[in-house]
Amino acid sequence: MDSVVDSLNNAYQDFVAAAANVLEAKESAGSVKTTATDTALENFKQKWELFRVACDQAEEFVESVKQRIGSECLVDEATRPVAGKPGQATMTGLPPISAVRLEQMSKAVRWLVIELQHGSGASSANSALSHPSAAFDARFSEDATQ
């Protein structure tokens, strides 16, 4: 995480310095277009693009952390024993689910969401379940005996 923050900070500092260089070049040229102002503007454009890339990378990192935290919380909630309060039954009537099975189902749901977001419509359920990274038997083990 530190490297992502450092990268974003460095890109921002370079971007701000390039903006200052453009202003200085325009001021020294008397607002007349010169090679120096063109060079400063080109440098500014490059720094702007690098800053945007750094922002995109930071956003991707934050999204991946959010997804990982969400998955871990889901697994924790689904696999921990139910603690009963006085006067309440502790059994929910549902069998416990394994963390591996829960993660498989979570990946399948994510693939379905991705497919739906890309507008593939009705074929999304079949393609998501046949996708290599989400490939697993979507039926519960109890379904196989029926």
Side-chain angles (χ1 to χ4, degrees), residues 4-44:
V4 173
V5 172
D6 289 343
S7 174
L8 184 58
N9 184 45
N10 291 339
Y12 175 75
Q13 295 300 327
D14 291 346
F15 170 65
V16 170
N21 289 339
V22 168
L23 294 174
E24 289 171 6
K26 287 189 89 155
E27 185 177 315
S28 67
S31 297
V32 176
K33 185 176 180 179
T34 65
T35 305
T37 58
D38 287 346
T39 302
L41 284 171
E42 185 60 36
N43 185 43
F44 174 77

Coordinates of all heavy atoms in Angstrom, one line a residue, residues 4-44:
V4 N 1.9 2.3 -3.5 CA 0.8 2.9 -4.2 C 0.6 4.4 -3.8 O 0.5 5.2 -4.7 CB -0.6 2.1 -4.0 CG1 -1.7 2.9 -4.6 CG2 -0.5 0.7 -4.5
V5 N 0.7 4.6 -2.5 CA 0.6 6.0 -2.0 C 1.8 6.8 -2.5 O 1.6 8.0 -3.0 CB 0.5 6.0 -0.5 CG1 0.6 7.4 0.1 CG2 -0.9 5.4 -0.1
D6 N 3.0 6.2 -2.4 CA 4.2 7.0 -2.8 C 4.1 7.3 -4.3 O 4.5 8.4 -4.8 CB 5.4 6.1 -2.5 CG 5.7 6.1 -1.0 OD1 5.2 6.9 -0.3 OD2 6.5 5.2 -0.6
S7 N 3.7 6.3 -5.1 CA 3.6 6.5 -6.5 C 2.6 7.6 -6.9 O 2.9 8.5 -7.7 CB 3.1 5.2 -7.2 OG 2.9 5.3 -8.6
L8 N 1.5 7.6 -6.2 CA 0.5 8.6 -6.4 C 1.0 10.0 -6.0 O 0.8 11.0 -6.7 CB -0.8 8.3 -5.7 CG -2.0 9.2 -5.9 CD1 -2.4 9.3 -7.3 CD2 -3.2 8.8 -5.0
N9 N 1.7 10.0 -4.9 CA 2.2 11.3 -4.4 C 3.3 11.8 -5.3 O 3.3 13.0 -5.7 CB 2.8 11.1 -3.0 CG 3.3 12.4 -2.4 OD1 2.7 13.4 -2.5 ND2 4.5 12.4 -1.8
N10 N 4.2 11.0 -5.8 CA 5.2 11.4 -6.7 C 4.6 11.9 -8.0 O 5.1 12.9 -8.6 CB 6.2 10.2 -7.0 CG 7.0 9.9 -5.8 OD1 7.2 10.7 -4.9 ND2 7.5 8.7 -5.8
A11 N 3.6 11.2 -8.5 CA 3.0 11.6 -9.8 C 2.3 13.0 -9.6 O 2.4 13.8 -10.5 CB 2.0 10.6 -10.3
Y12 N 1.7 13.2 -8.5 CA 1.1 14.5 -8.2 C 2.1 15.6 -8.1 O 1.9 16.7 -8.7 CB 0.3 14.4 -6.9 CG -0.3 15.7 -6.4 CD1 -1.5 16.2 -7.1 CD2 0.2 16.4 -5.4 CE1 -2.0 17.4 -6.7 CE2 -0.3 17.7 -5.0 CZ -1.4 18.1 -5.7 OH -2.0 19.4 -5.3
Q13 N 3.2 15.3 -7.4 CA 4.2 16.4 -7.3 C 4.8 16.7 -8.6 O 5.0 17.9 -8.9 CB 5.3 15.9 -6.3 CG 4.9 15.7 -4.9 CD 4.4 17.0 -4.2 OE1 4.8 18.1 -4.5 NE2 3.4 16.8 -3.4
D14 N 5.0 15.7 -9.5 CA 5.5 16.0 -10.8 C 4.5 16.8 -11.7 O 4.9 17.7 -12.4 CB 5.8 14.6 -11.5 CG 7.0 13.9 -10.9 OD1 7.8 14.5 -10.2 OD2 7.2 12.7 -11.2
F15 N 3.3 16.4 -11.5 CA 2.2 17.1 -12.2 C 2.1 18.6 -11.8 O 2.1 19.5 -12.6 CB 0.9 16.4 -11.9 CG -0.3 17.2 -12.4 CD1 -0.6 17.4 -13.8 CD2 -1.3 17.6 -11.5 CE1 -1.7 18.1 -14.2 CE2 -2.4 18.3 -11.9 CZ -2.6 18.5 -13.3
V16 N 2.2 18.9 -10.5 CA 2.2 20.3 -10.0 C 3.4 21.0 -10.5 O 3.3 22.2 -10.9 CB 2.0 20.3 -8.5 CG1 2.3 21.7 -7.9 CG2 0.7 19.7 -8.0
A17 N 4.6 20.4 -10.4 CA 5.8 21.0 -10.9 C 5.7 21.4 -12.4 O 6.1 22.4 -12.8 CB 7.0 20.1 -10.6
A18 N 5.1 20.4 -13.2 CA 5.0 20.7 -14.6 C 4.0 21.9 -14.9 O 4.2 22.7 -15.8 CB 4.5 19.4 -15.3
A19 N 3.0 22.0 -14.1 CA 2.0 23.1 -14.2 C 2.8 24.4 -13.9 O 2.6 25.4 -14.6 CB 0.8 22.9 -13.2
A20 N 3.6 24.4 -12.8 CA 4.3 25.6 -12.5 C 5.3 26.0 -13.6 O 5.5 27.1 -14.0 CB 5.1 25.4 -11.2
N21 N 5.9 25.0 -14.3 CA 6.8 25.2 -15.4 C 6.1 25.8 -16.5 O 6.7 26.7 -17.2 CB 7.5 23.9 -15.8 CG 8.5 23.4 -14.8 OD1 9.0 24.2 -14.0 ND2 8.9 22.2 -14.9
V22 N 4.9 25.4 -16.8 CA 4.1 26.0 -17.9 C 3.9 27.5 -17.6 O 4.0 28.4 -18.5 CB 2.8 25.3 -18.1 CG1 1.8 26.1 -19.0 CG2 3.0 23.9 -18.7
L23 N 3.4 27.8 -16.4 CA 3.2 29.2 -16.0 C 4.4 30.0 -16.1 O 4.4 31.2 -16.6 CB 2.6 29.2 -14.6 CG 1.2 28.6 -14.5 CD1 0.8 28.6 -13.0 CD2 0.2 29.3 -15.3
E24 N 5.6 29.5 -15.7 CA 6.8 30.2 -15.7 C 7.3 30.5 -17.2 O 7.7 31.6 -17.5 CB 7.9 29.5 -15.0 CG 7.7 29.5 -13.5 CD 8.7 28.6 -12.8 OE1 9.6 28.0 -13.4 OE2 8.6 28.5 -11.5
A25 N 7.1 29.4 -18.0 CA 7.5 29.6 -19.4 C 6.6 30.6 -20.1 O 7.1 31.4 -20.9 CB 7.4 28.2 -20.1
K26 N 5.3 30.6 -19.9 CA 4.4 31.6 -20.5 C 4.7 33.0 -20.0 O 4.7 33.9 -20.8 CB 3.0 31.2 -20.2 CG 2.5 30.0 -21.0 CD 1.0 29.8 -20.8 CE 0.4 30.6 -21.9 NZ -0.9 30.2 -22.4
E27 N 5.1 33.1 -18.7 CA 5.4 34.4 -18.2 C 6.7 35.0 -18.8 O 6.7 36.1 -19.2 CB 5.5 34.4 -16.7 CG 5.7 35.7 -16.0 CD 5.8 35.6 -14.5 OE1 4.9 34.9 -13.9 OE2 6.7 36.2 -13.9
S28 N 7.7 34.1 -18.9 CA 9.0 34.6 -19.4 C 8.9 34.9 -20.9 O 9.6 35.7 -21.4 CB 10.1 33.6 -19.1 OG 9.9 32.4 -19.8
A29 N 8.0 34.2 -21.6 CA 7.8 34.4 -23.0 C 6.8 35.6 -23.3 O 6.6 35.9 -24.5 CB 7.3 33.2 -23.7
G30 N 6.3 36.1 -22.3 CA 5.3 37.2 -22.5 C 4.0 36.7 -23.1 O 3.5 37.4 -24.0
S31 N 3.6 35.6 -22.8 CA 2.4 34.9 -23.3 C 2.4 34.7 -24.8 O 1.4 34.6 -25.5 CB 1.2 35.8 -23.0 OG 1.0 35.8 -21.6
V32 N 3.6 34.7 -25.4 CA 3.8 34.4 -26.8 C 4.2 32.9 -26.9 O 5.0 32.4 -26.1 CB 4.9 35.3 -27.4 CG1 5.2 34.9 -28.9 CG2 4.5 36.8 -27.3
K33 N 3.7 32.3 -27.9 CA 4.0 30.9 -28.1 C 5.4 30.7 -28.6 O 5.9 31.3 -29.6 CB 3.0 30.3 -29.2 CG 3.2 28.8 -29.4 CD 2.2 28.2 -30.3 CE 2.4 26.7 -30.4 NZ 1.4 26.1 -31.3
T34 N 6.2 29.9 -27.8 CA 7.6 29.7 -28.1 C 7.9 28.2 -28.0 O 7.0 27.4 -27.5 CB 8.5 30.5 -27.2 OG1 8.4 29.9 -25.9 CG2 8.3 32.0 -27.2
T35 N 9.1 27.9 -28.4 CA 9.5 26.5 -28.2 C 9.5 26.1 -26.8 O 9.1 24.9 -26.4 CB 10.9 26.2 -28.8 OG1 10.9 26.7 -30.2 CG2 11.3 24.8 -28.8
A36 N 9.9 27.0 -25.9 CA 9.9 26.7 -24.5 C 8.5 26.5 -23.9 O 8.3 25.6 -23.1 CB 10.6 27.9 -23.7
T37 N 7.6 27.3 -24.4 CA 6.2 27.0 -23.9 C 5.6 25.7 -24.4 O 4.9 25.0 -23.7 CB 5.3 28.2 -24.2 OG1 5.3 28.4 -25.6 CG2 5.7 29.5 -23.5
D38 N 5.9 25.5 -25.7 CA 5.5 24.2 -26.3 C 6.1 23.0 -25.5 O 5.3 22.0 -25.2 CB 5.8 24.1 -27.8 CG 5.0 25.0 -28.6 OD1 3.9 25.5 -28.1 OD2 5.4 25.2 -29.8
T39 N 7.3 23.1 -25.2 CA 8.0 22.0 -24.5 C 7.4 21.9 -23.1 O 7.1 20.7 -22.6 CB 9.5 22.3 -24.4 OG1 10.0 22.4 -25.7 CG2 10.2 21.1 -23.6
A40 N 7.1 23.0 -22.4 CA 6.5 22.9 -21.1 C 5.1 22.4 -21.1 O 4.7 21.6 -20.3 CB 6.5 24.3 -20.5
L41 N 4.4 22.7 -22.1 CA 3.0 22.2 -22.3 C 3.0 20.7 -22.6 O 2.2 20.0 -22.1 CB 2.3 22.9 -23.4 CG 1.7 24.3 -23.0 CD1 1.2 25.0 -24.3 CD2 0.6 24.2 -22.0
E42 N 4.0 20.3 -23.4 CA 4.1 18.8 -23.7 C 4.5 18.0 -22.5 O 3.9 17.0 -22.2 CB 5.1 18.6 -24.8 CG 5.2 17.2 -25.3 CD 3.9 16.6 -25.8 OE1 3.1 17.4 -26.5 OE2 3.6 15.4 -25.6
N43 N 5.4 18.6 -21.7 CA 5.8 18.0 -20.4 C 4.6 17.9 -19.5 O 4.4 16.9 -18.8 CB 7.0 18.7 -19.8 CG 7.5 18.0 -18.6 OD1 7.6 16.8 -18.5 ND2 7.7 18.8 -17.5
F44 N 3.8 19.0 -19.4 CA 2.6 19.1 -18.6 C 1.6 18.0 -19.0 O 1.1 17.3 -18.1 CB 2.0 20.4 -18.7 CG 0.7 20.6 -17.9 CD1 0.7 20.7 -16.6 CD2 -0.5 20.5 -18.6 CE1 -0.6 20.8 -15.9 CE2 -1.7 20.6 -18.0 CZ -1.7 20.8 -16.6

